[in-house]
Amino acid sequence: MDESIADAQQAIVTSPTPAREFRQLSRSRQRDVFFHLPETVQQSLVADLDRDGLQRFVRRLDPDEVADVLVLADEGTREDVLRQLDEDRQEKAAFLLEFSPESAAGLMHLDYVTVGVDQGIDAIARRVQRHEDRTGRLPTIFVTEADELIGELPGQVLAITDEEAIDLREHVHETPVVAFDSPDTEAVDVFRENPESSVAVLDDDGSILGVIYAEDLLRVVEEEAGETLYEFTGVQEEESVLDGPLSKVRYRYKWLIINLGTAFLAAGAVGFFEDTIAAFTLLAVYMPVVAGMGGNAGTQSMAVTVRGLAFGQISLSTGGRAVVNEVIAGGVNGAITGVLVAVIASVFNQSPLLGLVLGVSMVLNLVIAGFFGTAIPLVLDRIGKDPATSATIFITTATDVLGFFIFLGLARAVL
Amino acid sequence: MDESIADAQQAIVTSPTPAREFRQLSRSRQRDVFFHLPETVQQSLVADLDRDGLQRFVRRLDPDEVADVLVLADEGTREDVLRQLDEDRQEKAAFLLEFSPESAAGLMHLDYVTVGVDQGIDAIARRVQRHEDRTGRLPTIFVTEADELIGELPGQVLAITDEEAIDLREHVHETPVVAFDSPDTEAVDVFRENPESSVAVLDDDGSILGVIYAEDLLRVVEEEAGETLYEFTGVQEEESVLDGPLSKVRYRYKWLIINLGTAFLAAGAVGFFEDTIAAFTLLAVYMPVVAGMGGNAGTQSMAVTVRGLAFGQISLSTGGRAVVNEVIAGGVNGAITGVLVAVIASVFNQSPLLGLVLGVSMVLNLVIAGFFGTAIPLVLDRIGKDPATSATIFITTATDVLGFFIFLGLARAVL
């Protein structure tokens, strides 16, 4: 991103009066900066701007952008600002504001015209031109046959002036559709299967409400992408690097307390073997090795499974083979690293028996990691949960608790 | 994704003769299945298909898709298959094959026409129609002024038949450009700043080589997204959930060995206090709590910083405030969880002094986590490394090693 946009963002975020910083920007710069800010900051900026400043900012934005800004304002302000827009913007933005910003309808534009499949190029050109005259924007052209949408017509087709009655069907790109109230991520799924077209948003009765372009979906995909890493580490979706320390605490303390609970499970497992450790303190030294390697291997299996789920390459019903593969891979990687650990323990601590216990524990813990790292996301996905979110807790708990039980239990039995 | 595509993929991946499974699919299905397969599987499938099968598959694909398939074949096969294509496809695919698939040029299409800014709508329409006649595909329209690209013309503009000499400049969308040999991720960055247009790919001398559409970039963005989670957990980019166990071992064992090294650093820190643990075994029980919480908090800070870097909201020079915020947030979260741990240890183990040591250690380790979790990605980004990749190693090593030193060191001093 443009370095100066980043600077302007920083200035807004760190200022006690963000509206003042924002008002100093040129209008086109305001637009660039605003739509790249995290949502929490957008919200406080809109709250801080007076009606006049807000009005000046949205006056030249496209209707869908106006709606994206005004959805953050309180109702009174929203009505006031809307009323001062030109009629076209006002009507469209008000229409768009009726829909949830997280829904497919929240992504759509209203720049489209609908033409029947029997219409001639001339008639279509006139429709397009009328839309352009009225709104200043060129519309997407949807084609219907007996009131059913059959697809989108690329504007370039208007070049074909050959009067021998062209058949529009030959030039129509099939358009994927999405219901207006489905989540915005579904629009992405629909687009992904048919990426050469816009997505039409349909009403309950099948009529067209709006159009979503690939560029609108890119933002959703990027948000989804950032979210996966966030879910993986238990960070709330809304948090941004620009938030203050107290927001950060509020966003995170619950997850850390949940983690504390699972950390106590691991501590409980160790506590079970306190006598063994008292007799053989070296075990405490090697504990972090067994647990850490299990956790790492488990999150690796999980990352691969989560991506496979996202790409639709796997599901719980087809995932048996993947689980087996991960378990085998875990066993082999456990053997490789286990031999290394065993040799080091045997040489440094002069205790081949400790080495044996360590090596066997590594193999078993990496098998456990492979199993849970694959099975847990698959099960979470099947029961309709996000596969990345809570899985890390389950997996590291499994590898910590079971890893300590195996390592310290074997040690008690053998040493 | 369509359930039946996932099934077909599974069948191909698990079959000893993938080409046979692939050949049984209809041609449009082949296309859907192939371009959703992981690259390693695409590669072995292309190797397994005979020239005839490959030829049948690519015959109706677009030139850029032909190039995407043939880049995976050996040179002899590539030449043979190319030679049997129709002239337009052959020429374009051969041209596209000259570029690296990981570069901006590897994403581009050749369906564009270039028109001067002074040309009339009629002349432009004729150019578009000629391209369509020749290739069957409608071109993107680029507008130049004095041989400089000034932008893209939406096809719908052809509807404006009003003969009073329209000014194309009013309808041109500014087109972002990217050098043909820059990495494909740069095309995404360029598009992100200007998402309402295609991206033009330029040669060294500034002439247009091709055009990249938003939908082509979506794939790159999704790959990047998956990669972040992969880098975070140390999985190689090429790995997919469909790989066999031995590939998985090959992909991962090195990273696990590196992790083993850092696990031994943590073990070394513990070893330093073996006597203390021998005198007070309960410390070993609480070790996983201190280390685990530090690791969790550190990866949270890191996830937030990595996303901030990806969105261009922060850099090393502007990141001082973020580091301070994370350190404060770490201290507060450390105090919240530290008090909980202190109370539990005081009540359960009847040792308020152990509780105090634990509480103080939690605060300090979460401060360390906040500092390294933010500073390390910022520094890695500044020196040109990927901020997500190696950062986890540094961060968990810092929280493990320093966490154990603080906890066990305090215990030795106090208990």
Side-chain angles (χ1 to χ4, degrees):
Chain A
M1 189 182 301
D2 196 334
E3 195 65 28
S4 67
I5 292 186
D7 288 347
Q9 291 192 327
Q10 287 272 327
I12 288 167
V13 168
T14 56
S15 166
T17 54
R20 185 184 302 171
E21 304 289 335
F22 189 67
R23 233 179 280 123
Q24 283 168 2
L25 302 170
S26 73
R27 198 181 292 126
S28 74
R29 193 139 212 87
Q30 284 189 336
R31 183 172 174 279
D32 285 345
V33 169
F34 185 87
F35 289 107
H36 284 110
L37 283 171
E39 202 180 308
T40 44
V41 182
Q42 288 180 339
Q43 205 141 23
S44 50
L45 181 57
V46 168
D48 194 40
L49 275 169
D50 54 22
R51 287 179 193 196
D52 202 45
L54 203 54
Q55 160 67 18
R56 256 204 304 273
F57 170 43
V58 304
R59 204 167 46 195
R60 298 289 174 85
L61 296 179
D62 285 345
D64 59 303
E65 293 173 324
V66 175
D68 288 346
V69 174
L70 291 186
V71 76
L72 303 169
D74 64 82
E75 213 177 315
T77 312
R78 190 186 306 158
E79 301 293 322
D80 269 12
V81 173
L82 271 179
R83 218 171 298 128
Q84 294 185 52
L85 291 172
D86 63 65
E87 199 182 335
D88 177 56
R89 277 195 179 76
Q90 179 177 345
E91 195 180 296
K92 287 181 176 164
F95 177 68
L96 291 169
L97 277 165
E98 290 172 27
F99 303 102
S100 155
E102 307 289 308
S103 71
L107 294 172
M108 71 188 181
H109 301 251
L110 301 175
D111 290 307
Y112 66 93
V113 294
T114 312
V115 300
V117 72
D118 302 324
Q119 280 185 275
I121 291 290
D122 281 357
I124 298 172
R126 275 195 303 275
R127 292 286 307 280
V128 169
Q129 188 160 10
R130 220 177 309 137
H131 185 100
E132 205 271 337
D133 286 346
R134 215 180 56 239
T135 66
R137 290 176 299 275
L138 291 162
T140 298
I141 307 164
F142 286 125
V143 181
T144 57
E145 181 164 20
D147 282 340
E148 288 278 315
L149 174 70
I150 61 169
E152 177 189 343
L153 201 63
Q156 290 88 326
V157 98
L158 299 171
I160 303 175
T161 46
D162 198 347
E163 269 315 312
E164 298 165 28
I166 87 161
D167 186 355
L168 291 187
R169 285 182 201 81
E170 277 175 25
H171 296 283
V172 162
H173 287 196
E174 202 184 318
T175 305
V177 298
V178 65
F180 75 100
D181 53 357
S182 47
D184 54 6
T185 51
E186 192 168 320
V188 175
D189 291 340
V190 159
F191 173 77
R192 202 175 277 145
E193 286 177 46
N194 197 344
E196 270 146 54
S197 164
S198 314
V199 177
V201 180
L202 298 189
D203 204 348
D204 282 333
D205 64 0
S207 61
I208 301 170
L209 278 182
V211 54
I212 305 176
Y213 304 125
E215 56 259 30
D216 305 310
L217 295 170
L218 195 68
R219 194 181 51 78
V220 179
V221 169
E222 294 205 304
E223 272 180 22
E224 266 190 326
E227 278 165 27
T228 306
L229 191 54
Y230 267 35
E231 285 156 1
F232 212 76
T233 55
V235 177
Q236 300 263 321
E237 191 187 322
E238 306 87 279
E239 185 173 339
S240 121
V241 74
L242 302 173
D243 286 326
L246 290 183
S247 316
K248 285 178 183 296
V249 171
R250 213 171 46 239
Y251 284 136
R252 295 190 204 157
Y253 78 99
K254 279 184 202 148
W255 172 264
L256 287 172
I257 288 175
I258 295 172
N259 268 277
L260 191 58
T262 67
F264 270 105
L265 282 182
V270 178
F272 203 76
F273 297 98
E274 224 182 305
D275 296 345
T276 316
I277 295 173
F280 204 65
T281 332
L282 209 51
L283 294 175
V285 175
Y286 281 103
M287 274 168 39
V289 177
V290 176
M293 294 301 288
N296 280 325
T299 50
Q300 285 191 323
S301 302
M302 186 179 150
V304 174
T305 310
V306 166
R307 178 144 99 161
L309 282 165
F311 285 0
Q313 295 171 333
I314 194 174
S315 68
L316 184 59
S317 50
T318 63
R321 195 188 175 88
V323 174
V324 172
N325 286 348
E326 288 287 344
V327 165
I328 296 173
V332 176
N333 275 326
I336 293 172
T337 49
V339 166
L340 281 173
V341 176
V343 168
I344 291 169
S346 305
V347 172
F348 273 83
N349 306 110
Q350 303 288 321
S351 171
L353 217 51
L354 174 64
L356 182 70
V357 168
L358 270 167
V360 173
S361 306
M362 292 285 284
V363 173
L364 292 178
N365 207 19
L366 264 67
V367 164
I368 289 168
F371 178 78
F372 285 99
T374 318
I376 291 175
L378 289 175
V379 171
L380 285 173
D381 179 68
R382 164 58 57 93
I383 62 175
K385 303 274 177 202
D386 190 289
T389 302
S390 342
T392 37
I393 287 204
F394 292 127
I395 290 166
T396 54
T397 304
T399 53
D400 276 6
V401 173
L402 296 178
F404 287 140
F405 259 107
I406 290 169
F407 174 50
L408 298 173
L410 271 179
R412 179 191 281 175
V414 172
L415 295 176
Chain B
M1 188 182 301
D2 196 334
E3 194 65 28
S4 67
I5 291 185
D7 288 348
Q9 291 191 326
Q10 286 274 326
I12 288 166
V13 168
T14 56
S15 167
T17 53
R20 184 185 301 172
E21 304 288 334
F22 188 69
R23 232 180 280 123
Q24 283 168 0
L25 302 171
S26 73
R27 197 180 295 124
S28 74
R29 192 141 213 87
Q30 283 188 337
R31 183 171 173 280
D32 286 343
V33 168
F34 185 86
F35 289 107
H36 283 111
L37 282 171
E39 201 178 310
T40 44
V41 180
Q42 288 180 341
Q43 205 142 20
S44 50
L45 181 57
V46 168
D48 194 40
L49 275 168
D50 54 22
R51 288 179 191 197
D52 201 43
L54 203 54
Q55 159 67 19
R56 257 205 303 272
F57 170 43
V58 303
R59 203 166 45 191
R60 298 289 175 87
L61 296 179
D62 285 345
D64 59 302
E65 293 174 323
V66 174
D68 288 345
V69 174
L70 291 186
V71 77
L72 302 169
D74 64 83
E75 212 175 316
T77 312
R78 192 186 305 159
E79 301 293 322
D80 269 12
V81 173
L82 271 180
R83 215 170 301 127
Q84 293 186 52
L85 291 172
D86 62 65
E87 198 181 334
D88 176 58
R89 276 194 180 75
Q90 179 178 344
E91 195 178 295
K92 287 182 175 163
F95 176 67
L96 291 170
L97 277 166
E98 289 171 28
F99 303 102
S100 154
E102 308 288 311
S103 71
L107 294 173
M108 72 188 182
H109 302 252
L110 301 175
D111 289 308
Y112 66 92
V113 295
T114 313
V115 301
V117 72
D118 302 323
Q119 279 185 274
I121 292 289
D122 281 358
I124 299 172
R126 275 195 303 275
R127 292 286 308 280
V128 169
Q129 187 160 13
R130 219 176 310 135
H131 185 100
E132 204 272 335
D133 286 347
R134 214 180 58 242
T135 65
R137 288 176 300 275
L138 291 162
T140 298
I141 308 164
F142 285 124
V143 180
T144 58
E145 182 163 19
D147 282 340
E148 287 279 313
L149 175 70
I150 60 169
E152 178 190 343
L153 202 62
Q156 289 88 327
V157 99
L158 299 172
I160 304 176
T161 45
D162 199 346
E163 269 315 312
E164 298 165 28
I166 89 162
D167 185 358
L168 290 187
R169 284 182 201 83
E170 278 175 26
H171 296 283
V172 161
H173 288 197
E174 202 185 319
T175 305
V177 298
V178 65
F180 76 100
D181 53 357
S182 47
D184 53 7
T185 50
E186 192 168 319
V188 175
D189 291 342
V190 159
F191 173 76
R192 203 175 277 148
E193 287 178 45
N194 197 344
E196 270 145 53
S197 164
S198 316
V199 176
V201 181
L202 298 190
D203 204 349
D204 281 334
D205 63 1
S207 61
I208 301 170
L209 277 181
V211 53
I212 305 176
Y213 304 125
E215 56 259 29
D216 305 309
L217 295 169
L218 194 67
R219 194 181 49 76
V220 180
V221 170
E222 295 206 305
E223 272 178 24
E224 266 190 324
E227 276 165 28
T228 305
L229 192 54
Y230 267 34
E231 284 157 1
F232 211 76
T233 55
V235 177
Q236 301 262 323
E237 191 187 323
E238 307 86 280
E239 185 174 340
S240 121
V241 73
L242 302 173
D243 285 326
L246 290 182
S247 315
K248 283 176 185 298
V249 171
R250 210 171 47 238
Y251 283 136
R252 295 192 204 156
Y253 78 99
K254 279 183 203 147
W255 173 264
L256 286 172
I257 288 174
I258 295 171
N259 267 277
L260 192 58
T262 68
F264 269 105
L265 282 182
V270 179
F272 203 76
F273 297 98
E274 223 181 307
D275 296 343
T276 316
I277 295 173
F280 204 66
T281 333
L282 210 49
L283 293 175
V285 175
Y286 282 102
M287 274 167 39
V289 177
V290 176
M293 294 301 288
N296 280 324
T299 50
Q300 285 192 325
S301 302
M302 185 180 151
V304 174
T305 310
V306 166
R307 178 143 98 161
L309 283 165
F311 285 0
Q313 295 172 332
I314 195 175
S315 68
L316 185 58
S317 50
T318 63
R321 195 189 175 88
V323 174
V324 172
N325 285 348
E326 288 285 344
V327 164
I328 296 173
V332 176
N333 276 325
I336 293 172
T337 49
V339 166
L340 280 173
V341 177
V343 168
I344 291 169
S346 305
V347 172
F348 273 83
N349 306 112
Q350 302 288 322
S351 170
L353 216 51
L354 173 64
L356 183 70
V357 168
L358 271 167
V360 173
S361 305
M362 292 285 284
V363 174
L364 292 178
N365 206 20
L366 265 67
V367 164
I368 288 168
F371 177 78
F372 285 99
T374 318
I376 291 174
L378 289 176
V379 171
L380 285 173
D381 180 66
R382 163 59 57 94
I383 62 175
K385 303 274 178 203
D386 189 290
T389 302
S390 342
T392 38
I393 287 204
F394 294 126
I395 290 166
T396 55
T397 305
T399 54
D400 275 7
V401 173
L402 296 178
F404 287 140
F405 259 106
I406 289 169
F407 174 50
L408 299 173
L410 271 179
R412 179 191 280 174
V414 172
L415 296 175

